Every structure is written in C-alpha cells, then in structure tokens.
Amino acid sequence: DGGITQSPKYLFRKEGQNVTLSCEQNLNHDAMYWYRQDPGQGLRLIYYSQIVNDFQKGDIAEGYSVSREKKESFPLTVTSAQKNPTAFYLCASSVDPSSYEQYFGPGTRLTVT
Amino acid sequence: QKEVEQNSGPLSVPEGAIASLNCTYSDRVSQSFFWYRQYSGKSPELIMSIYSNGDKEDGRFTAQLNKASQYVSLLIRDSQPSDSATYLCAVIPDTGRRALTFGSGTRLQVQP
C-alpha cells in the first residue's frame, strides 16, 4: 500500500531531551512538509523540502531541525530549544513542489513534561 | 490581515440539510484553494481543490470561489452525522513559498 507513515503515534519525553519524529513515504513524492497543530488551531508550517538534500524554514522553525538525505524520508528533530514542544505533529507530501495538493500522514502526538 | 480566515464555529446543522462553510482570503495569496476535512484526533484529508472562479462539484461537495469578494465556500449537501468534523481551508501564499497556509478551521456538527 502506498502512503505516508509516521512513528510513533504517541511519544512522551522529559523536558530538555531532544526527540526525533519519523516520516516515511512510498508515494515517490518529491516534496515533503512538517506541520504542527495545537488544540483548536490550524496547522503551522515548520519546515518543508522540495527535493533531496534541500529544505526551507517555515513559519515556526525555531527549536526544530530536519534532514532530507533520502527521497522517502524526512525526519524532524524537536530540540530542547523549542519552548512549547507538546503538540500534534503532521508530516505531508506532494507529488512535486508545483503540486500543492498535500497528503498527510497519521501524525505523532508529542507530550513533553 | 491574515492570509486566510475561517469562523471557528461550531456550525450546527440538522441531518439532511446543506452545510455551508466559508473562508476569506487576503490579496497575498495565489488563486488556488484547498479544502481539508479533519476528524477529531486524526490527520487532515484533502476533499477538494478549486483553481478558477465559479463552482466545482464532487458528489455531495461543492466548492465555490468568488474572487471579487475574496471568499471560497464549501457546501455539503444532504449532511450526515459522519460529516461532523473540522474543515480546514488552505491557500498558497503569494510569497514564493511552496507550501500551503491553513486557516484555523470550522467545526461542523451534524445533528441526527
């Protein structure tokens, strides 16, 4: 089955720890995205990548880092510098950067205490 | 002004009625619009995109774009309780950034 997978579904961490969220797609899509969603709010763009080995900051990149070493993978690291990391994290992909129809993975709910 | 704005709701309609969800946008967006549905605790799902002025129909869903008034609507005919969800409007910012900007969503409740 083609799709986007994110793991784990729920993640718990102590404050001060870095944590990496996984995002994998087997759709052969060029572009991948990370969004954050807080309760009752829309999605805010963290980072996006149009092609392997290239990525751009979104609106709220501070405290986050990404890599795009393979076409199918776009992991997100939430660092200890992120002030309020508890949120629902969503990964998405699109066929190519000119196609704005984005398809989402199931999400990872991160709780930091 | 934000690039895209939605009323948070909830919008409550009886089963079988037409639900009308609206989204307004600023001058700072390109003329392509997307509607996503998000069930509670789940990820957004693309339901429609619209690129030109007028109406676009897909089953029970109709997207309407009015460029003169700068709004885009989603109509859901014969609303079902299973349509109860948050509906997110998304736009392409006119900044060259190749990613969508999302509204905060409108929560729809369809009463049986």
Side-chain angles (χ1 to χ4, degrees):
Chain A
D1 280 338
I4 304 172
T5 57
Q6 292 185 245
S7 60
K9 188 173 181 179
Y10 298 96
L11 191 53
F12 298 88
R13 280 293 182 270
K14 294 288 188 187
E15 198 173 313
Q17 294 179 334
N18 290 357
V19 59
T20 297
L21 280 58
S22 167
C23 178
E24 304 277 331
Q25 54 98 0
N26 61 3
L27 301 167
N28 201 33
H29 285 180
D30 285 329
M32 297 185 75
Y33 313 83
W34 274 106
Y35 290 88
R36 167 183 173 144
Q37 187 175 37
D38 293 284
Q41 298 192 31
L43 281 62
R44 292 186 289 168
L45 182 67
I46 305 173
Y47 270 99
Y48 67 105
S49 169
Q50 300 179 62
I51 198 167
V52 175
N53 292 323
D54 185 54
F55 49 83
Q56 287 78 39
K57 293 182 179 180
D59 297 319
I60 56 166
E62 186 175 347
Y64 299 97
S65 66
V66 293
S67 63
R68 186 88 188 275
E69 296 176 2
K70 298 185 295 183
K71 186 175 184 177
E72 59 270 23
S73 178
F74 190 39
L76 173 74
T77 296
V78 184
T79 76
S80 56
Q82 169 49 231
K83 298 267 190 284
N84 297 297
T86 295
F88 188 36
Y89 289 88
L90 291 156
C91 179
S93 70
S94 63
V95 170
D96 57 54
S98 62
S99 169
Y100 288 89
E101 295 187 352
Q102 297 178 4
Y103 299 90
F104 285 85
T108 291
R109 200 167 295 277
L110 173 65
T111 302
V112 177
T113 58
Chain B
Q1 183 191 3
K2 290 184 181 179
E3 289 159 327
V4 56
E5 298 200 64
Q6 296 182 258
N7 187 315
S8 62
L11 172 66
S12 185
V13 301
E15 184 174 353
I18 296 175
S20 177
L21 303 152
N22 297 313
C23 168
T24 58
Y25 60 89
S26 74
D27 292 330
R28 296 177 287 120
V29 306
S30 300
Q31 298 300 299
S32 299
F33 303 90
F34 305 83
W35 282 102
Y36 284 80
R37 176 176 62 198
Q38 186 176 25
Y39 291 114
S40 181
K42 303 295 185 183
S43 61
E45 171 193 9
L46 178 65
I47 51 175
M48 286 198 76
S49 55
I50 185 165
Y51 303 99
S52 58
N53 221 23
D55 295 2
K56 178 182 178 182
E57 190 174 314
D58 184 0
R60 294 188 297 114
F61 298 99
T62 299
Q64 298 178 322
L65 175 57
N66 185 318
K67 293 185 180 181
S69 301
Q70 292 186 240
Y71 75 82
V72 57
S73 299
L74 180 70
L75 302 180
I76 307 175
R77 288 182 300 282
D78 189 24
S79 295
Q80 301 297 310
S82 59
D83 295 323
S84 297
T86 296
Y87 290 81
L88 302 166
C89 174
V91 300
I92 302 170
D94 201 14
T95 59
R97 188 175 79 181
R98 293 189 169 273
L100 296 176
T101 295
F102 286 82
S104 57
T106 298
R107 189 156 64 93
L108 172 66
Q109 294 177 337
V110 180
Q111 307 293 338

